[in-house]
Amino acid sequence: MKMRAVSAQVLLLLLLLELVRARDCTGSSRCTGSSRRYTPDWPSLDSRPLPAWFDEAKFGVFIHWGVFSVPAWGSEWFWWHWEAEKLPAYQNFMKENYPPDFSYADFGPQFTAHFFHPDSWADLFEASGAKYVVLTTKHHEGFTNWPSPVSWNWNSKDVGPHRDLVGELGTAIRKRNIRYGLYHSLLEWFHPLYLRDKKNDFKTQYFVRAKIMPELYDLVNRYKPDLIWSDGEWEGPDTYWNSTDFLSWLYNDSPVKDVVVVNDRWGKNCSCHHGGYYNCQDKFKPETLPDHKWEMCTSIDKMSWGYRRDMMITDVASEYSIISELVQTVSLGGNYLLNIGPTKDGLIVPIFQERLLAVGKWLSINGEAIYASKPWRVQFEKNETSVWYTSKGSTVYAIFLHWPESGILSLESPIATSTTQITMLGIQNDLKWSTNPGEGLLVYLPHLPPAAVPTEFAWTLRLTGVK
Ligand SMILES: *[C@@H]1O[C@H](CO)[C@@H](O)[C@H](O)[C@H]1NC(C)=O
Ligand SMILES: *[C@@H]1O[C@H](CO)[C@@H](O)[C@H](O)[C@H]1NC(C)=O
Ligand SMILES: *[C@@H]1O[C@H](CO)[C@@H](O)[C@H](O)[C@H]1NC(C)=O
C-alpha cells in the first residue's frame, strides 16, 4: 500500500516534469533544451533561438586588454602597424623609446597586471548597470590571457602577470550575477602555422588543428562562458575555421549549450549573415529596425579599443553621446556593448570610470525603459526633441533627448485613450497631457528646479493606456 502510494507520487512527478518540458518546447521560441540537435551547417545553426537573457540584458561592458596595453600607444593594432605595415609613426615611436633590437615579445614581461583587482573591476561594471561583460581572452597578437596549453610562453601564466586573468575576472563577475562573455580572435597576425595556411590559400588547417580548436574547446570547458564574441575571421572561409563543427558541438553537447550566445564573425562573409546575433561591422548602427537581433559595439576612446597613453579628452565620447547611442540602439532592438581599455598594470583610468558610472546613474532611473524592453511599433520621431520609443507589454516608453523650450513635448505616434496615464521616471506625480488634432499627444512637462530633474539629459516618459 505504502509502496504503491510512493510510486504513484513518482509517476505523477515524472508526468509533471514531462508536461513542463513539453510546454517549454511547443511552438515557442524558448525551445533551446536538450531535445533539439543541430547539424554542422548554417541553416541548422541559424535556426537556433537566441537564449532570452541576451535580449533582456541590453547593456554590456567590453574590455580590450593584452600585451598591446604595454606600448599603449596608437591602438591595440600596434604590432601590425609597426611590423607588418611599417608605418613611420610606429617605427619612430619604437626608435625613440626602446632599444634597437627590442621585439614585440619583449613587451610581454611588462604586462604585469600588478594592480588588477578583479573585484574592484566587477564593482565598477555592476555600478555601470552592465548585465554582461566581454573580455579579450586573446586578440590578434595571439597572447592568451589564460594558461592556454597550446600558447607556449605566450600566455598570462608563463609571461607577464603570471595569473589566470580570464578565470579571475570570471569569478568576480559571476559573484555579482553578471553574465560573462569571452572575446576570441580566430586569426593571429604572425603565428607561423597561420601564415603557412594563409600561403596555402587556406587549403590546409595546421593552425586550426594545433591552436584554434584546442583553445576554443578549452575556453568553453574551463570557463563556461555565457557568450563567445568571435573576431579575426575575415581572411579565411568558415570551412577553414571549422566554425560550423565547433558551433554544433557548442549548441548540442557543450556545458553551456542552453545559455551560450555567439555573434556572427565565424568566417569570411559570415558576419551579418550567419551565427547568433549580428555585429556586422564594428560600431554598426542601423537606421531602421533590423529583423535579426544585433549588438552595437563601440569604444569610449573613439580612436582605440586598447588603452593608449596618447588619448586626448577630445577623443573620449561624451556622456551625452554614449547615453543617446544606448537609447537609440535599444529602441532599434539592439544591445549596446561599450568598450574600455585597462592599463598594463590592471587599472581603469578615471575618465573611463566616470563614463561607465554616468551610464549606471542614468540606468538607475531609466533602466525600466531599457532592460527587457522590446521595440515598439514606432521607434523614433526625429525633430528638435528626438524621441526614441521602447515598450514592455502594453506600456510604452518615450525617451526624449532634448527638453523642449516650451515645456510641452509633442508626441506624434501614441494614440490616447480614456485610460491614458503619463509619468516621468524619477518623478512621482502624473503629468498633464492633452490631445491636439494633427499634433498627436501634448505632454506638459513638470516645472522643476535643475536639482530636481531626474537626469541631465534623456528623460523617460512612461505611457500607459495608449495605442
Ligand atoms: C574540421 O571538421 C571536419 C569535419 O567534421 C573534420 O574532419 C576535420 O578534422 C576538422 N578539422 C579540424 C582542424 O578540426
Ligand atoms: C565575400 O564578400 C566579398 C566582398 O564583400 C565578395 O566579393 C565575395 O564574392 C564574397 N564571397 C562569397 C563566397 O560570397
Ligand atoms: C515633431 O515633429 C512632428 C511632425 O513630424 C510635429 O507634429 C511635432 O510638433 C514636432 N514636435 C516638436 C516638439 O516640434
Side-chain angles (χ1 to χ4, degrees):
M1 183 64 204
K2 206 170 173 198
M3 277 293 283
R4 269 177 43 203
V6 168
S7 47
Q9 275 173 8
V10 169
L11 261 177
L12 191 65
L13 189 68
L14 285 174
L15 191 68
L16 276 171
L17 281 173
E18 195 49 44
L19 275 173
V20 168
R21 225 170 55 101
R23 201 194 45 192
D24 269 358
C25 264
T26 40
S28 90
S29 59
R30 285 232 215 80
C31 183
T32 54
S34 47
S35 49
R36 172 127 193 231
R37 306 246 346 142
Y38 297 91
T39 47
D41 53 79
W42 290 120
S44 173
L45 298 169
D46 290 345
S47 74
R48 176 178 180 257
L50 201 66
W53 73 264
F54 184 73
D55 181 47
E56 289 166 9
K58 304 299 184 193
F59 176 55
V61 170
F62 206 1
I63 306 164
H64 272 67
W65 200 29
V67 170
F68 50 80
S69 315
V70 175
W73 192 85
S75 90
E76 74 289 346
W77 277 55
F78 186 94
W79 195 4
W80 185 258
H81 294 325
W82 169 34
E83 295 210 294
E85 296 182 314
K86 303 191 189 303
L87 297 184
Y90 288 77
Q91 302 218 318
N92 291 337
F93 174 84
M94 287 309 295
K95 225 175 278 165
E96 284 162 18
N97 298 291
Y98 295 91
D101 52 356
F102 197 91
S103 72
Y104 191 79
D106 293 328
F107 287 126
Q110 295 178 29
F111 179 34
T112 64
H114 191 68
F115 303 115
F116 170 49
H117 301 298
D119 281 300
S120 49
W121 282 25
D123 282 341
L124 174 67
F125 303 149
E126 187 177 37
S128 80
K131 300 296 181 199
Y132 64 111
V133 166
V134 180
L135 171 70
T136 49
T137 63
K138 182 195 82 175
H139 200 257
H140 314 322
E141 64 187 11
F143 185 89
T144 63
N145 282 334
W146 87 100
S148 161
V150 291
S151 188
W152 185 76
N153 226 16
W154 195 229
N155 69 75
S156 67
K157 196 78 180 180
D158 294 339
V159 178
H162 300 290
R163 290 164 71 175
D164 174 6
L165 305 177
V166 176
E168 286 189 40
L169 184 63
T171 304
I173 292 293
R174 288 193 154 131
K175 267 194 252 167
R176 290 156 183 84
N177 268 323
I178 300 173
R179 300 274 181 169
Y180 195 36
L182 304 182
Y183 167 105
H184 172 267
S185 171
L186 292 168
L187 72 74
E188 294 178 25
W189 288 319
F190 301 106
H191 196 293
L193 293 179
Y194 181 64
L195 296 178
R196 193 162 149 194
D197 288 342
K198 194 162 148 178
K199 219 166 138 193
N200 293 336
D201 219 7
F202 298 110
K203 301 270 180 346
T204 56
Q205 290 183 301
Y206 296 110
F207 177 63
V208 179
R209 196 176 311 277
K211 192 74 173 23
I212 293 308
M213 282 305 142
E215 285 189 341
L216 276 174
Y217 280 83
D218 187 39
L219 280 172
V220 172
N221 287 322
R222 228 194 258 242
Y223 304 111
K224 306 189 173 47
D226 298 297
L227 193 163
I228 299 178
W229 211 102
S230 184
D231 193 21
E233 83 295 1
W234 58 82
E235 293 181 332
D238 61 307
T239 45
Y240 167 69
W241 297 116
N242 257 22
S243 299
T244 56
D245 282 82
F246 169 71
L247 289 173
S248 62
W249 170 77
L250 188 71
Y251 292 174
N252 289 329
D253 300 309
S254 81
V256 288
K257 65 190 175 66
D258 295 328
V259 296
V260 76
V261 166
V262 305
N263 67 348
D264 55 352
R265 297 186 178 175
W266 294 100
K268 195 175 177 173
N269 293 18
C270 274
S271 128
C272 241
H273 299 294
H274 297 299
Y277 70 83
Y278 293 169
N279 278 119
C280 302
Q281 66 274 30
D282 287 356
K283 307 192 182 179
F284 170 64
K285 188 156 61 168
E287 296 289 315
T288 55
L289 184 65
D291 59 8
H292 191 94
K293 182 66 195 181
W294 63 284
E295 174 191 63
M296 179 189 185
C297 62
T298 191
S299 187
I300 295 180
D301 176 359
K302 290 184 268 183
M303 314 295 281
S304 177
W305 300 83
Y307 176 68
R308 60 188 181 107
R309 293 172 285 171
D310 49 330
M311 176 175 69
M312 303 294 283
I313 192 66
T314 45
D315 301 331
V316 179
S318 68
E319 293 179 11
Y320 173 77
S321 74
I322 291 169
I323 289 169
S324 6
E325 225 164 48
L326 165 68
V327 169
Q328 169 171 356
T329 299
V330 171
S331 176
L332 290 172
N335 276 20
Y336 191 64
L337 185 63
L338 184 62
N339 177 75
I340 52 154
T343 65
K344 63 176 179 175
D345 34 22
L347 299 172
I348 297 170
V349 294
I351 193 74
F352 293 157
Q353 296 182 33
E354 186 187 47
R355 293 298 187 266
L356 290 180
L357 292 172
V359 177
K361 190 172 160 203
W362 186 86
L363 281 168
S364 70
I365 290 165
N366 301 283
E368 181 186 325
I370 299 293
Y371 301 123
S373 69
K374 299 274 181 211
W376 192 45
R377 64 175 170 82
V378 175
Q379 286 79 55
F380 58 88
E381 284 164 22
K382 266 195 181 149
N383 50 26
E384 59 267 43
T385 54
S386 286
V387 179
W388 292 91
Y389 291 100
T390 65
S391 71
K392 216 177 262 182
S394 60
T395 304
V396 176
Y397 298 95
I399 305 170
F400 59 105
L401 302 183
H402 307 286
W403 195 284
E405 266 178 43
S406 62
I408 303 171
L409 182 73
S410 162
L411 300 176
E412 250 183 288
S413 310
I415 301 164
T417 67
S418 56
T419 61
T420 296
Q421 275 191 314
I422 302 178
T423 55
M424 182 183 287
L425 297 187
I427 287 180
Q428 289 294 323
N429 300 331
D430 283 7
L431 304 186
K432 290 208 180 69
W433 57 272
S434 65
T435 50
N436 224 344
E439 280 189 58
L441 207 53
L442 296 178
V443 183
Y444 302 92
L445 300 175
H447 298 283
L448 296 169
V453 182
T455 52
E456 269 178 78
F457 33 71
W459 305 268
T460 304
L461 299 183
R462 184 208 288 119
L463 289 75
T464 54
V466 294
K467 289 191 282 198

